[in-house]
Amino acid sequence: MTEVVFVLTADSHIGSGHLVRCSRLAKSLEQCLAPCRITFLLPSLEEVPPSLTREIHAVTAGSMDQIPGILEWHPADILILDCYALDAEFERRCLPGCRLLAVIDDLHNRPHACHVLVDGNPNASAAQYRDLVPPTARMLLGGRYVLIAEDFRNCRKTSVPASFSTGLVCFGGADPVRATGAALRGIAASPVLRSKHYTVISGALNPEHDQIRRQIEDSHLDCTLLRSTNQMARMMQEHDFAIGACGGMGLERLCVGIPSVHVKIADNQIGFTQLIAGALAGVSVDLADLPVPGVLEKAVLFLEQNGEQIRQNSQTMVDGRGMASVAAALRDELARRTGAERQEG
């Protein structure tokens, strides 16, 4: 049986994005490597929705240092790291406990000691990782390797209406920067946007769900508020436009082809916003500008006027097959390394 171990972080402060994409990759690996056993190692289980995980082994909160020792008695055939706080020093400590070490990264800001590096950003390039990965590392870069569920490809839009009536507002599982409330203030400030119906998803880890509910009630917006959903792809397909953060959910929206206001909530998303602007694949707005009167209205009107072109350009950037492509690449790389070990033996 193939042992696959994921190491990542997820909580109300950083969000659940890493856990979501690793859970989805786990499903693809189960299909690709059957039989296999999936294990998640997290520094803390606090506030992590159990429905997102398979088998979880808790590590004392705040102590990634224990993980190399855990791997000594729970070795992995494939070890997958998805945490921006980890670098080559940690990875070298983990190497004795695995046969294949893969890193998921999109910051290209620190060295790695991995066998495989995955960066599914459509504009990712080998030049960004020059001198940051071993020369023998296999690089899985670009839109072909975007780690989003197959559901988003299955729900790709075939057309965009000439006039928008429904909007989807979601800033992930935790929304640590409180962007949902800022977006609702921007909507409330616009008579044009107030006339539309919205589905607002606060996020399973969002501590301000009740506050968002009261904000909707006080502003008298036409909104349906959900805590979370397991039908995100279908909801993107069924709404006319979306407002949400850059990053993982931004890539999902590109795959579906829903015209979107992509909100930059972190400095490392500048590349994403530049990519969107250059490809006419949506509109980018800074977090601070969300509640400013007129900003969201202008952005949504632009989406409405260019919706069909935005849909086509978005879908070209992300094909939605990334999970299967990454799983197959990891399977093949493990087989290659196993074969080489046998020859050496």
Side-chain angles (χ1 to χ4, degrees), residues 142-160:
R144 179 183 174 189
Y145 299 106
V146 173
L147 292 174
I148 61 175
E150 190 78 14
D151 294 352
F152 293 93
R153 177 174 178 80
N154 296 337
C155 288
R156 282 156 79 90
K157 284 179 171 289
T158 57
S159 64
V160 174

Side-chain angles (χ1 to χ4, degrees), residues 180-197:
T180 304
L184 290 172
R185 290 194 296 275
I187 292 170
S190 165
V192 173
L193 298 185
R194 289 184 67 94
S195 67
K196 306 180 190 304
H197 172 77

Side-chain angles (χ1 to χ4, degrees), residues 2-5 37 70-79 96-99:
T2 304
E3 296 282 352
V4 180
V5 175
R37 179 162 51 202
I70 291 174
L71 291 170
E72 290 183 8
W73 57 264
H74 189 91
D77 292 299
I78 301 176
L79 175 63
C98 67
R99 304 177 74 177

Side-chain angles (χ1 to χ4, degrees), residues 228-294:
S228 62
T229 179
N230 60 1
Q231 298 292 324
M232 182 61 74
R234 180 182 58 79
M235 297 191 76
M236 289 182 182
Q237 182 188 52
E238 293 178 350
H239 287 75
D240 298 334
F241 70 99
I243 303 170
C246 301
M249 289 197 74
L251 294 169
E252 293 169 352
R253 294 192 299 269
L254 291 178
C255 181
V256 172
I258 180 171
S260 300
V261 179
H262 302 278
V263 181
K264 183 173 75 68
I265 63 173
D267 290 341
N268 65 358
Q269 295 174 345
I270 292 176
F272 186 95
T273 63
Q274 293 172 339
L275 182 69
I276 294 302
L280 186 58
V283 179
S284 298
V285 172
D286 285 347
L287 175 63
D289 294 331
L290 263 185
V292 176

Side-chain angles (χ1 to χ4, degrees), residues 131-331:
D131 301 325
L132 295 180
V133 299
T136 57
R138 182 171 179 181
M139 309 286 280
L140 307 180
L141 307 175
R144 179 183 174 189
Y145 299 106
V146 173
L147 292 174
I148 61 175
E150 190 78 14
D151 294 352
F152 293 93
R153 177 174 178 80
N154 296 337
C155 288
R156 282 156 79 90
K157 284 179 171 289
T158 57
S159 64
V160 174
S163 179
F164 292 168
S165 61
T166 59
L168 177 65
V169 179
C170 181
F171 286 87
D175 187 12
V177 297
R178 304 180 179 180
T180 304
L184 290 172
R185 290 194 296 275
I187 292 170
S190 165
V192 173
L193 298 185
R194 289 184 67 94
S195 67
K196 306 180 190 304
H197 172 77
Y198 298 88
T199 298
V200 179
I201 303 172
S202 67
L205 300 179
N206 192 332
E208 298 194 344
H209 176 79
D210 291 338
Q211 182 176 327
I212 292 169
R213 175 179 51 78
R214 289 191 295 269
Q215 181 180 354
I216 291 172
E217 292 172 352
D218 293 343
S219 60
H220 304 289
L221 292 174
D222 182 10
C223 293
T224 299
L225 176 62
L226 303 177
R227 181 66 167 171
S228 62
T229 179
N230 60 1
Q231 298 292 324
M232 182 61 74
R234 180 182 58 79
M235 297 191 76
M236 289 182 182
Q237 182 188 52
E238 293 178 350
H239 287 75
D240 298 334
F241 70 99
I243 303 170
C246 301
M249 289 197 74
L251 294 169
E252 293 169 352
R253 294 192 299 269
L254 291 178
C255 181
V256 172
I258 180 171
S260 300
V261 179
H262 302 278
V263 181
K264 183 173 75 68
I265 63 173
D267 290 341
N268 65 358
Q269 295 174 345
I270 292 176
F272 186 95
T273 63
Q274 293 172 339
L275 182 69
I276 294 302
L280 186 58
V283 179
S284 298
V285 172
D286 285 347
L287 175 63
D289 294 331
L290 263 185
V292 176
V295 172
L296 264 183
E297 178 179 312
K298 180 180 179 181
V300 173
L301 288 176
F302 180 86
L303 296 178
E304 197 170 48
Q305 294 163 4
N306 299 276
E308 186 57 27
Q309 188 63 54
I310 290 172
R311 176 190 71 82
Q312 295 176 23
N313 293 346
S314 299
Q315 292 174 342
T316 299
M317 295 170 67
V318 179
D319 68 9
R321 296 190 176 98
M323 287 291 179
S325 296
V326 171
L330 293 177
R331 176 201 61 200

